[in-house]
Amino acid sequence: MRATEPRGGLVLLSPLAGWSTPLDEVPDPVFAGRMLGDGLAIDPTGATLHAPCDGEIIALPESKHAVTLRSDGGAEILMHIGVDTVGLRGEGFEAHVTVGRRVAAGERLITFDLDLIARRAKSLLTPILVVDGGGFTVVRSGESREVAVGDVLMEIAPAGEASAGSGAREPESGAAPGGDAQARLVRVALEHGIHARPAALIVSAVKALSGEVELAVRDRTANARSTVALMKLGARKGDEVRIRAAGRDAGRAVAAVADVLAGAHEQAGGSPPAAAPKPTSVRPPQTAAAVEVRPGAALPGVVASRGMAVGQAVRLAVREIEVTPAGAGVSHETLQLQRAREQVRGRLEAARASASGTAREIVEAHLELLDDPELTESALAHIADGAGAGHAWRQAIRADVEALRALGDPRMAERVDDLLDLERQVLLSMNGHAGAAAQDLPPDAIVLAAELLPSQLVGLDAARLAGICLAAGGATSHVSILAAAMGVPALVAVGPSLLRVVEGTALLLDADAGVLHVDPGAERLAAARRQLALRTARRAAEREAAQQDCYTADGARIEVFANVGSLSDAQTAARNGAEGCGLLRTEFLFLERETAPSEAEQQAEYQRLAEALAGKPLTVRTLDIGGDKPIPYLPMPAEENPALGLRGVRTSLWRPDLLRQQLRAILGVRPYGQCRILLPMITDVAEIRSVRAAIEEARAGIGRQEPIEVGVMIETPASALMADSIAAEADFFSIGTNDLTQYTLAMDRGHPELAARLDALHPAVLRLIARTAQAAQARKRMVAVCGGLASDPVAAPILIGLGVHELSAVPAIVPRLKALIRGLTLAECAGMASEALEQTSAEAVRALALRRAGRDGV
């Protein structure tokens, strides 16, 4: 595979498999505005970046999200994987080259985790740019088509007067090198230092100014007119940079560069600093509102429910129901409101009786809102002031809506949809409608709307609904949760451009990558349909095979359980082939209520869960309240650091009355023995003995002689280090990797700035898991992992190699995990685990895991 050089130019080969797209579609003004250079973008389907031509690697940041190659003829090619991926700090990327290395066309440069980037980056679109200042220009490119690695991507040629291969632009005409000189020392305030975007902004800031401008960091210097040279500085946040300029515009140049380094462009939404006139070649930022909805357009959004759909646009516009402001008397309007509320209550209760899972939970939430005393009193107060029933109900609802929005809490703001849904249902009843009218849909409908209410989604024909795209909305709203439960791919927060998509337009909804492709062309739609068919067939095969017990390729038994937090979770787990519940989060019974659930209520709920699992093991974790999960009827002492205070079993021992009640409820489940008890946040054997004493007391109280299995969660470094002693008291271990990672790395798992670094594949965490497994093996105890790492397929071989016998994951991933494990051998897993323990960072372990995943198609 070699790139050719026609007419003194160069043909660049596609470095990625995917779909080539105009730069205009990249959701970033620096790339879309061609501030770094011209070219195109690729929406990747492959996870390996290759060299587009022969050349030398001249820039590779520590974050490994981008690479710049200089061809033998001097053209500089920047390949930037995704948008805003510098913030991942290297997670999910593995570089196979170093700066200064010679590469051949087609050679592997970087591999990356496609799923991780799709979840956490702004966009997967990967710009392939001919960098400005390198003396080359794009003369022909192939946009809007499917490309494979090695296909001809674009043709570039020398620009003529530019100095090819210099990597820096000569001073503009009119420069006065011997004129005024200015210098300033500036500390970099940019969160990720000088990477591609700020480098482009610096070049843009000085482009129209005359004179020489140079930046120096430590022992490195760079011409401010060369994006590649600026990126090669390696300047990080907090570094001191000396800006030097000479010539007529030296003062303006220094000020403009200083503004970029101080982060002024971030406050201005990514535009070049005001000190420098914006070049006429720079296009306006392509925000969601500004993107022209034309064939080939890609509209980015927030993933609410993963998946892919091919279909046609169906616009769903909901007109506001008209109400009469003035009432016809207090008695008349009060009766109108009462009748409407009763009709809605009757419909909701009927829906609850036939609903299950998430749909039932949403109906119950609407019933609670309908009977909210403050809401009713507010509406009646408006009626007393002379308002009509409909107007009064709307005023009461809207007051609560504004109050929730004013909290500034996204989770609370998303409850607004439930209030607005309830408003609509009651107003429809007042107007004589039996309920929300069902929306007729054509086949393969991808519904587009500004917003969607839960009752509207339920009213859609599920057999014809292929996907959902909303201009507004949030990923944790009830509509989003309901869409995920229905298995309908959905994007939210796409922006107002969505509402300009014409009815009937062919659409490709990629809710894995977070992009809606508008009229992408017959070839791409056909490719997507083929991909959908393969994915559907694979998942169907995995679901069918998931009903069988799980063994490795060499016959070792590995159980795949599911984490459960509700009856609907248990039902989903059973359908997906889970071999039991490895973690029942009993907090769902205790949260969002004014009093603790009774023993009878708890036992009834545990019994329903046990029956949903059809006799398979149900691992019930005792109440894990405290820290980040407070409850109003159990006031905790004031704690400076709740994460290190009354949490888990400590709370249960602090309130033994609640513990005894919960233990009796668990012991009352039939058949006896299906349940096993799991104790959270254990740090020493004394805590286990205290709970065992309470269990013995509860067993004696109900006349039970048979023992019940009692396990311990390993989620602190203390419990992992004491695992040999704890194994003498516990019947099994279950490792909670979320808290174990948090406490081991001393990083708050809820801290937004640390989220990217909080990886349970850190060698320190793996060594604690290994120590726990060794202690369990010595005592012939079963060891499980029930934390988030159990749901990460790339981690499964390492966990099994460390000695884990059971993985308890989210229900949806169970079929995939089983399919993966069936292709592993214990020897492979042990070798991989041994290698992982020797790594020095989570990034290195994950890279190792990704190599294995890539090789086996995980």
Side-chain angles (χ1 to χ4, degrees):
M1 182 189 296
R2 298 191 64 82
T4 60
E5 298 190 6
R7 303 190 307 277
L10 178 67
V11 168
L12 299 182
L13 307 179
S14 179
L16 276 171
W19 194 268
S20 64
T21 302
L23 277 181
D24 307 7
E25 309 301 344
V26 180
D28 184 286
V30 167
F31 293 120
R34 292 162 172 76
M35 294 183 190
L36 282 161
D38 200 5
L40 47 71
I42 295 177
D43 191 357
T45 55
T48 302
L49 183 76
H50 300 261
C53 61
D54 296 349
E56 178 187 349
I57 303 300
I58 61 171
L60 179 69
E62 288 185 11
S63 50
K64 296 169 285 190
H65 70 289
V67 62
T68 306
L69 177 151
R70 180 181 291 143
S71 76
D72 293 340
E76 293 175 353
I77 316 301
L78 168 65
M79 293 157 279
H80 193 288
I81 301 169
V83 177
D84 284 352
T85 44
V86 65
L88 296 178
R89 296 182 173 88
E91 182 179 359
F93 296 93
E94 181 186 7
H96 305 290
V97 292
T98 56
V99 173
R101 175 172 162 179
R102 291 275 313 163
V103 295
E107 189 171 337
R108 220 173 35 150
L109 303 180
I110 299 172
T111 53
F112 52 95
D113 184 340
L114 200 62
D115 290 339
L116 182 143
I117 296 170
R119 291 195 307 270
R120 294 169 56 180
K122 184 176 182 180
S123 172
L124 272 170
L125 286 176
T126 297
I128 312 297
L129 306 176
V130 180
V131 181
D132 276 353
F136 278 73
T137 186
V138 177
V139 295
R140 185 163 55 91
S141 65
E143 298 172 349
S144 302
R145 63 185 176 90
E146 191 172 11
V147 292
V149 173
D151 286 354
V152 172
L153 188 67
M154 67 177 104
E155 182 183 332
I156 65 176
E161 67 275 8
S163 176
S166 66
R169 182 170 295 178
E170 294 298 323
E172 301 287 330
S173 61
D180 294 338
Q182 297 275 341
R184 186 186 302 182
L185 198 62
V186 176
R187 192 172 295 278
V188 178
L190 305 165
E191 183 62 32
H192 305 297
I194 302 179
H195 56 98
R197 185 182 296 108
L201 291 170
I202 291 171
V203 171
S204 178
V206 302
K207 184 177 289 186
L209 303 177
S210 61
E212 298 176 337
V213 191
E214 183 181 77
L215 276 66
V217 180
R218 295 180 289 275
D219 59 345
R220 298 180 182 179
T221 59
N223 186 329
R225 301 184 188 279
S226 167
T227 53
V228 174
L230 289 169
M231 288 189 289
K232 288 165 66 176
L233 279 175
R236 303 175 181 176
K237 182 178 181 180
D239 283 351
E240 283 191 334
V241 175
R242 180 171 294 279
I243 310 166
R244 292 190 289 259
R248 186 174 60 240
D249 295 326
R252 294 177 64 199
V254 168
V257 174
D259 279 349
V260 175
L261 297 181
H265 70 287
E266 293 176 347
Q267 300 168 13
S271 300
K278 191 175 182 182
T280 56
S281 62
V282 175
R283 304 184 184 186
Q286 299 291 308
T287 63
V291 173
E292 181 183 357
V293 184
R294 63 185 189 281
L299 304 183
V302 174
V303 176
S305 174
R306 294 194 176 278
M308 181 182 286
V310 175
Q312 60 177 307
V314 176
R315 299 281 298 277
L316 184 64
V318 181
R319 284 175 289 192
E320 186 154 281
I321 300 168
E322 294 185 5
V323 296
T324 305
V330 173
S331 298
H332 174 79
E333 301 300 334
T334 300
L335 183 60
Q336 289 288 97
L337 178 61
Q338 181 180 346
R339 284 175 175 169
R341 289 177 62 245
E342 287 300 326
Q343 289 170 358
V344 172
R345 181 181 291 104
R347 287 195 294 270
L348 288 174
E349 288 175 344
R352 178 173 60 181
S354 61
S356 62
T358 303
R360 180 186 176 95
E361 292 165 8
I362 292 172
V363 169
E364 288 174 341
H366 286 188
L367 277 168
E368 290 175 5
L369 286 173
L370 185 66
D371 291 326
D372 185 286
E374 291 188 6
L375 191 59
T376 306
E377 288 170 10
S378 176
L380 293 173
H382 286 297
I383 289 174
D385 289 338
H391 183 73
W393 181 247
R394 174 168 285 163
Q395 291 293 100
I397 290 282
R398 298 295 170 94
D400 281 2
V401 164
E402 292 307 314
L404 284 177
R405 284 176 173 158
L407 291 175
D409 184 338
R411 293 170 300 176
M412 291 297 102
E414 287 170 352
R415 301 287 80 80
V416 162
D417 286 353
D418 297 311
L419 283 167
L420 294 175
D421 199 342
L422 193 61
E423 173 194 312
R424 184 172 181 80
Q425 292 181 62
V426 171
L427 294 181
L428 283 170
S429 286
M430 286 184 188
N431 289 355
H433 295 284
Q439 175 79 21
D440 290 331
L441 298 176
D444 297 324
I446 297 180
V447 169
L448 313 181
E451 294 182 283
L452 197 64
L453 301 174
S455 62
Q456 293 171 319
L457 175 53
V458 171
L460 297 174
D461 184 349
R464 296 185 167 211
L465 179 63
I468 299 167
C469 281
L470 305 182
T476 59
S477 68
H478 270 162
V479 161
S480 297
I481 294 170
L482 192 56
M486 295 167 64
V488 177
L491 292 183
V492 296
V494 177
S497 293
L498 180 73
L499 306 181
R500 297 202 296 271
V501 175
V502 177
E503 180 98 4
T505 299
L507 300 175
L508 167 56
L509 171 58
D510 187 348
D512 290 320
V515 179
L516 176 68
H517 297 278
V518 180
D519 196 7
E523 187 178 351
R524 190 169 190 187
L525 289 172
R529 288 191 179 97
R530 291 194 296 271
Q531 186 178 348
L532 265 175
L534 289 172
R535 183 183 298 187
T536 301
R538 187 189 73 183
R539 289 179 177 173
E542 288 177 350
R543 280 196 299 272
E544 183 177 354
Q547 299 304 320
Q548 305 300 317
D549 289 345
C550 185
Y551 292 86
T552 62
D554 52 351
R557 181 77 166 97
I558 303 294
E559 295 180 299
V560 181
F561 283 30
N563 296 338
V564 168
S566 66
L567 179 60
S568 63
D569 282 350
Q571 293 165 338
T572 302
R575 285 195 302 271
N576 285 351
E579 299 174 51
C581 166
L583 172 65
L584 171 62
R585 303 182 183 93
T586 58
E587 296 75 52
F588 79 98
L589 283 168
F590 292 80
L591 296 170
E592 298 181 4
R593 53 188 298 156
E594 298 302 317
T595 58
S598 66
E599 179 182 330
E601 184 180 352
Q602 289 187 62
Q603 183 176 332
E605 192 64 34
Y606 301 150
Q607 188 66 52
R608 280 194 287 269
L609 288 158
E611 290 168 1
L613 293 171
K616 294 173 182 174
L618 173 60
T619 308
V620 184
R621 183 177 68 185
T622 56
L623 186 61
D624 189 8
I625 288 294
D628 60 344
K629 292 175 283 188
I631 49 179
Y633 54 85
L634 187 61
M636 299 285 189
E639 295 179 313
E640 186 173 341
N641 190 341
L644 302 181
L646 283 172
R647 284 202 58 191
V649 77
R650 300 170 190 168
T651 305
S652 295
L653 294 175
W654 177 62
R655 283 293 302 270
D657 54 324
L658 291 178
L659 174 62
R660 285 192 292 267
Q661 189 180 63
Q662 185 172 35
L663 292 175
R664 288 194 298 269
I666 296 169
L667 291 168
V669 174
R670 302 292 182 271
Y672 185 82
Q674 181 180 354
C675 287
R676 53 187 187 179
I677 297 172
L678 183 60
L679 309 181
M681 202 55 65
I682 292 291
T683 55
D684 59 49
V685 295
E687 293 165 330
I688 308 171
R689 291 169 181 165
S690 296
V691 178
R692 277 200 179 275
I695 293 172
E696 293 306 308
E697 178 187 333
R699 277 205 304 144
I702 63 172
R704 277 287 175 191
Q705 301 301 317
E706 307 95 323
I708 188 169
E709 283 191 276
V710 178
V712 164
M713 287 199 72
I714 304 296
E715 48 191 337
T716 66
S719 58
L721 294 171
M722 295 288 291
D724 50 352
S725 300
I726 291 174
E729 302 288 336
D731 297 313
F732 63 95
F733 287 155
S734 190
I735 302 170
T737 53
N738 299 352
D739 272 324
L740 182 60
T741 305
Q742 168 178 249
Y743 292 126
T744 302
L745 302 183
M747 293 182 185
D748 183 350
R749 64 184 186 178
H751 196 299
E753 297 299 321
L754 300 176
R757 299 175 58 194
L758 198 71
D759 191 335
L761 282 178
H762 194 287
V765 179
L766 296 181
R767 291 179 188 186
L768 291 175
I769 294 174
R771 186 184 181 104
T772 301
Q774 290 165 3
Q777 184 178 15
R779 286 276 182 173
K780 293 183 171 53
R781 303 291 193 242
M782 190 279 296
V783 59
V785 171
C786 64
L789 199 60
S791 300
D792 187 348
V794 300
I798 294 175
L799 293 175
I800 293 170
L802 292 174
V804 171
H805 310 106
E806 174 194 305
L807 298 176
S808 190
V810 295
I813 202 71
V814 167
R816 185 178 177 192
L817 273 179
K818 284 192 165 186
L820 165 67
I821 292 167
R822 289 187 178 113
L824 302 173
T825 67
L826 285 185
E828 286 178 315
C829 293
M832 192 170 173
S834 177
E835 192 175 348
L837 291 174
E838 297 304 315
Q839 304 303 310
T840 58
S841 68
E843 291 83 0
V845 175
R846 192 160 287 280
L848 170 69
L850 286 170
R851 282 200 301 274
R852 171 63 163 76
R855 189 169 68 245
D856 291 353
V858 173

